[in-house]
Amino acid sequence: MSGCSVVLPASSAPFSCSDGACPSRYVCREALCVPEGAPAPPLAIGAQADGEGAELLWNGAAFAVVWQANGAAVPGLHLSTLDVMADPRVASDELLSGPQPGSVAFTALYHPGGNAYVVAERANSDSGASLRVSAQPIGGVPAVLYADPEPYTPVGFGNPALCIDGPKRVTLAVTFAAPPAVVAHNGHCLSLDLSGATSPIDCTPASLRASPEDVSDMWLAQDATVRLVMWRAASMHFSYEQGNTEVGSTVVDPIVRIVRAVAAKGADGVAIGAAAFQLRDSSDDAAYSVWGGQLKDFSTTYASGLTVSSVGLAPDVAFADGGFVTCILDHDGELSLQRRDASGAATSTATVHRIARAPITSCRLAGGAPGQVGVLWSEIEPPADRRLYFSVVTP
């Protein structure tokens, strides 16, 4: 009727506003009408195929997503910077590299000393393998820090790991699946100069160089002075390094794999770490362990980690506000964030606001502005295999 407006109950939201128009007391967010004052719907980043990865980063002022999308209009590895103010949106999107043949895996970080995103990307195919580490300075010119083409390998490189190595360097850890008759050891650690002015420094632990075992996976956790190198062979190995020199190593057989390990310097100047991992003897497939404490104690005190239940989703960990946060999937299919203190004890829990209830396949976290945590997750959403979503949570 002329001169009348219709006010819908909040229970009817959200609904489509593809033309940008909503009824009274509703606002259009992410092509959905939501009640005024209600949480904004998650920000849709893009569609992915099964197996394509994504990393969430915080550059000190904004969140950014590095994600693979070979089926996109512009295929390849993307860097999307996010604006999460009143109307969250993808502020910019740039292509870091084009599509790669075969199996592709990558990892990424933001280096505050170089004000740059650093990406390690490997591709394995029938025609050979390649590994490349590149730096993308904000407002600067991209640079290749390391490149290793291997045209004759039958298997190729494992999933790369990266961490910050002081004010102007990064550490790379990766496996190269060559037979022992070809190489003495197939696990490698390199310290790379962000400027590319100096040659890589070999930081492979002495215990790894001396081992005859084939290495399947490697992980890193590091602050300015302490590095923890972890690798899976017949057992899980831990090496504690200072100044590129191994000062101790141990074998921790009960750990099957590290899901994520991070490190930072605590208020007292001591390196603290957090990790999510699985134990060999766990009878519950949903059971993971989350550990927090001094980084140098991880290999000996991991057993004091707290068991968390995450159904079908490997939990991520990230530092935020002096402690760290983990993401889990509960038995109702809800994505939740748990804030923990430096020892690993849970202090609060928050549920991530989602519109759909589609199955979640992955989760990535990044600490942002004080009191805020960014969460990136992937949902199964036909006709696309996967769709990436992002939200800011205050756990």
Side-chain angles (χ1 to χ4, degrees), residues 217 219 230-232 236 238 252-260 275-280 285 288-289 298 312-315:
D217 296 286
W219 301 267
M230 298 154 278
W231 66 95
R232 158 61 59 189
M236 183 68 74
F238 291 81
V252 184
D253 187 62
I255 294 182
V256 176
R257 68 178 178 123
I258 306 290
V259 178
R260 177 80 82 170
F277 54 92
Q278 284 182 300
L279 294 175
R280 183 185 302 277
D285 290 338
Y288 293 84
S289 292
F298 184 18
L313 180 71

Side-chain angles (χ1 to χ4, degrees), residues 68 70 100-104 123-126:
Q68 182 188 356
N70 286 343
Q100 302 285 336
S103 171
V104 178
N124 299 327
S125 70
D126 293 339

Side-chain angles (χ1 to χ4, degrees), residues 288-377:
Y288 293 84
S289 292
V290 174
W291 172 91
Q294 292 191 24
L295 186 63
K296 65 182 180 63
D297 297 333
F298 184 18
S299 61
T300 56
T301 66
Y302 72 92
S304 63
L306 303 177
T307 299
V308 297
S309 181
S310 182
V311 184
L313 180 71
D316 196 20
V317 294
F319 277 104
D321 299 324
F324 62 96
V325 289
T326 60
C327 59
I328 63 168
L329 199 62
D330 65 23
H331 288 275
D332 295 325
E334 297 289 351
L335 182 62
S336 298
L337 265 62
Q338 295 180 338
R339 184 179 292 277
R340 300 174 179 275
D341 61 24
S343 69
T347 59
S348 63
T349 301
T351 299
V352 178
H353 176 63
R354 295 198 297 148
I355 299 300
R357 288 296 178 265
I360 295 177
T361 60
S362 66
C363 170
R364 287 291 181 264
L365 301 174
Q372 293 186 338
V373 176
V375 54
L376 178 76
W377 69 94

Side-chain angles (χ1 to χ4, degrees), residues 157-332:
F157 295 99
N159 294 346
L162 280 177
C163 63
I164 295 172
D165 183 7
K168 296 294 182 180
R169 305 185 71 87
V170 293
T171 299
L172 166 72
V174 68
T175 63
F176 178 61
V182 178
V183 295
H185 59 88
N186 72 318
H188 304 272
C189 175
L190 294 173
S191 176
L192 306 176
D193 183 357
L194 278 180
S195 68
T198 62
S199 299
I201 298 173
D202 188 353
C203 54
T204 306
S207 57
L208 174 55
R209 288 197 298 267
S211 174
E213 296 180 331
D214 183 71
V215 177
S216 59
D217 296 286
M218 294 186 72
W219 301 267
L220 292 167
Q222 181 171 348
D223 83 325
T225 59
V226 176
R227 178 190 295 125
L228 188 64
V229 183
M230 298 154 278
W231 66 95
R232 158 61 59 189
S235 300
M236 183 68 74
H237 297 252
F238 291 81
S239 172
Y240 179 63
E241 296 185 334
Q242 289 182 317
N244 296 321
T245 300
E246 185 176 52
V247 295
S249 65
T250 188
V251 175
V252 184
D253 187 62
I255 294 182
V256 176
R257 68 178 178 123
I258 306 290
V259 178
R260 177 80 82 170
V262 294
K265 191 171 288 296
D268 57 359
V270 176
I272 58 175
F277 54 92
Q278 284 182 300
L279 294 175
R280 183 185 302 277
D281 296 331
S282 174
S283 58
D284 184 358
D285 290 338
Y288 293 84
S289 292
V290 174
W291 172 91
Q294 292 191 24
L295 186 63
K296 65 182 180 63
D297 297 333
F298 184 18
S299 61
T300 56
T301 66
Y302 72 92
S304 63
L306 303 177
T307 299
V308 297
S309 181
S310 182
V311 184
L313 180 71
D316 196 20
V317 294
F319 277 104
D321 299 324
F324 62 96
V325 289
T326 60
C327 59
I328 63 168
L329 199 62
D330 65 23
H331 288 275
D332 295 325

